[in-house]
Amino acid sequence: MSHEDYLGSRRFPGLDGLRALAATMVIFFHFGGPNWGWLSGWVGVYIFFVLSGFLITTLLLREQDRTGRISLSNFYIRRVFRILPPYLVILGGIVAFVLLRAEFLSRDFPHALKYYLTFLNEFFPGSGGNGADNFFSGSWTLGIEEKFYLVWPFLLVAIGIGAAKRKFLLVGAAMGALLALVPLTTGGWVLGTSKTAIYTSTIHYFILASGCLLAILLHYRRGYTLLKPLTHPLAAIPIVAAFGLLHTNLDTLWNESGQNLLLLVGYTVLTMLLLIVLVSPGPLRWLLGTAPMRFVGERSYSLYLLQGPVHFVVVQAVPGLVVNRTVTAVTVFLVGLAIADLIHRWVEKPMIDVGKRIITRKEARREEREAAGQPPAEPRVEPAPATTSVS
């Protein structure tokens, strides 16, 4: 695939399918029982992290190229109307549910809401299944991503437009610092598992930054030239084989090797390579871009957040599903997907459209002010000398 074809791609349908697989793996990890241990579903959220870093950075870089600026206000409007409506609807539904069951206090919601409403989810002591089960502990990933959204766009604006080398050095330095901090930090947990190694959010931000690095490399011509051989359909064979081999054996290696940090870094690199395969023409992109995969992927955000409350309701309705096994996971997936579809249609898409209309009106007013010779309300970042070098 040529660099021009990549830059001209307005949508990456294969990545919707990857979202679908990641959300499904997480659900089967939580509710499928020991028969699904080979799936290593607990790392599904790491796929989401790499995807988030890649997509957000790609959008910001393309906005720079298209308009000569990054509008931080537009970015946050898009994020607010994309993230908050489903999140608050699901959280509000959970709160109403526990209030009706007179379990608001017993499930520690007075304490938990302080974290959930401020996106400090990962610091809530009940996160990952430790402490009271309030059905929303899996939302810790939102806390991580929201802080990433607060910091990363500001850093891109701060280093200027068109400065490919500086962007590469910025994300490289950030990844190096985050990786160095991992062994120096204590406390926290990894994905709510019983693994012995202790990591904090540091490694999660490293994984998010890896997606940013990939976006920068692919966006600028010299970086793309280095990675272009990996866009060939035949290159997908060893990449997918290596990713699948590590992924399906990750749980065993994690428990036996003692090299957990190295495993996570290796898994992150292979996920980055997998993203290159999925944005390039080929059978895998076609497969993960099919309508059923896109359907699940587009609803994966709500599906992920719904898994806890849906599991509780399913078990209450069908007590025979209280034991985690394949039929339990399938039921949670199907019921959760049905509810996620309703949220996607009636909450998520309408609110995204509201955000787009706000941005459209805001940009129209800005253009009117500039045409009238008035200074823009939002400071414009002047381009730095253009360069495509990342070395």
Side-chain angles (χ1 to χ4, degrees):
M1 182 171 63
S2 70
H3 190 219
E4 289 73 20
D5 287 340
Y6 168 74
L7 293 179
S9 301
R10 299 189 62 184
R11 184 171 178 81
F12 304 120
L15 300 187
D16 284 329
L18 186 59
R19 280 196 192 97
L21 290 179
T24 304
M25 287 191 301
V26 171
I27 290 174
F28 274 75
F29 164 66
H30 284 144
F31 310 115
N35 289 336
W36 290 94
W38 62 271
L39 192 60
S40 303
W42 57 275
V43 292
V45 294
Y46 287 159
I47 296 176
F48 281 123
F49 284 160
V50 178
L51 271 170
S52 292
F54 172 75
L55 290 172
I56 289 300
T57 305
T58 297
L59 290 172
L60 292 172
L61 293 176
R62 291 186 177 188
E63 181 185 355
Q64 279 190 339
D65 285 353
R66 187 176 65 254
T67 67
R69 58 195 283 269
I70 287 179
S71 171
L72 292 175
S73 61
N74 287 353
F75 173 81
Y76 291 118
I77 290 171
R78 287 192 297 268
R79 288 296 89 198
V80 164
F81 283 91
R82 167 72 177 88
I83 297 295
L84 282 185
Y87 179 88
L88 293 176
V89 164
I90 294 170
L91 178 58
I94 294 172
V95 170
F97 179 75
V98 297
L99 283 172
L100 289 173
R101 291 176 58 88
E103 296 179 354
F104 188 78
L105 295 178
S106 63
R107 294 188 181 276
D108 204 18
F109 264 96
H111 185 214
L113 285 177
K114 299 174 186 176
Y115 295 87
Y116 294 155
L117 293 176
T118 56
F119 283 100
L120 297 172
N121 312 51
E122 74 273 28
F123 297 114
F124 176 54
S127 294
N130 303 314
D133 180 9
N134 55 42
F135 314 124
F136 211 52
S137 58
S139 66
W140 67 269
T141 59
L142 271 295
I144 300 290
E145 291 199 21
E146 288 304 298
K147 295 175 192 60
F148 162 72
Y149 295 147
L150 285 175
V151 175
W152 179 241
F154 277 104
L155 294 179
L156 281 182
V157 169
I159 62 174
I161 296 174
K165 184 175 181 179
R166 279 185 282 169
K167 291 183 176 71
F168 176 75
L169 292 175
L170 170 67
V171 72
M175 292 176 69
L178 290 166
L179 203 58
L181 286 172
V182 170
L184 302 178
T185 51
T186 57
W189 48 276
V190 177
L191 304 178
T193 70
S194 58
K195 314 305 179 183
T196 56
I198 297 177
Y199 293 107
T200 62
S201 301
T202 308
I203 190 64
H204 304 138
Y205 290 110
F206 170 85
I207 296 171
L208 276 161
S210 71
C212 303
L213 174 62
L214 178 62
I216 292 168
L217 288 172
L218 289 176
H219 186 77
Y220 293 101
R221 186 171 298 276
R222 184 169 294 184
Y224 190 88
T225 300
L226 294 174
L227 299 176
K228 184 177 180 179
L230 302 179
T231 68
H232 193 284
L234 291 179
I237 297 174
I239 292 174
V240 173
F243 178 86
L245 186 64
L246 178 59
H247 184 92
T248 54
N249 289 279
L250 192 59
D251 206 58
T252 300
L253 292 170
W254 185 279
N255 286 307
E256 297 179 357
S257 71
Q259 301 296 322
N260 298 340
L261 180 58
L262 182 61
L263 285 172
L264 286 180
V265 172
Y267 186 82
T268 300
V269 172
L270 284 175
T271 303
M272 294 168 65
L273 298 181
L274 184 64
L275 261 60
I276 297 175
V277 171
L278 291 177
V279 301
S280 309
L284 188 61
R285 185 178 80 170
W286 173 84
L287 178 63
L288 294 189
T290 54
M293 298 300 291
R294 293 201 314 271
F295 181 89
V296 178
E298 290 169 355
R299 292 150 181 81
S300 59
Y301 172 47
S302 295
L303 177 62
Y304 172 80
L305 292 177
L306 283 164
Q307 59 180 309
V310 166
H311 174 256
F312 181 82
V313 172
V314 164
V315 169
Q316 293 295 307
V318 187
L321 298 180
V322 69
V323 177
N324 287 343
R325 50 201 171 105
T326 300
V327 66
T328 305
V330 170
T331 304
V332 171
F333 173 81
L334 292 176
V335 174
L337 183 60
I339 300 173
D341 181 54
L342 294 176
I343 293 175
H344 179 73
R345 294 173 185 271
W346 296 102
V347 178
E348 194 170 353
K349 289 180 66 177
M351 295 309 293
I352 289 174
D353 290 340
V354 170
K356 289 179 179 178
R357 289 197 294 271
I358 292 173
I359 290 173
T360 299
R361 290 196 294 268
K362 175 175 168 293
E363 288 301 298
R365 290 195 297 269
R366 183 182 66 84
E367 291 174 1
E368 290 174 0
R369 286 195 298 269
E370 290 183 352
Q374 299 175 4
E378 186 173 14
R380 185 182 182 88
V381 182
E382 294 300 329
T387 174
T388 59
S389 173
V390 294
S391 60

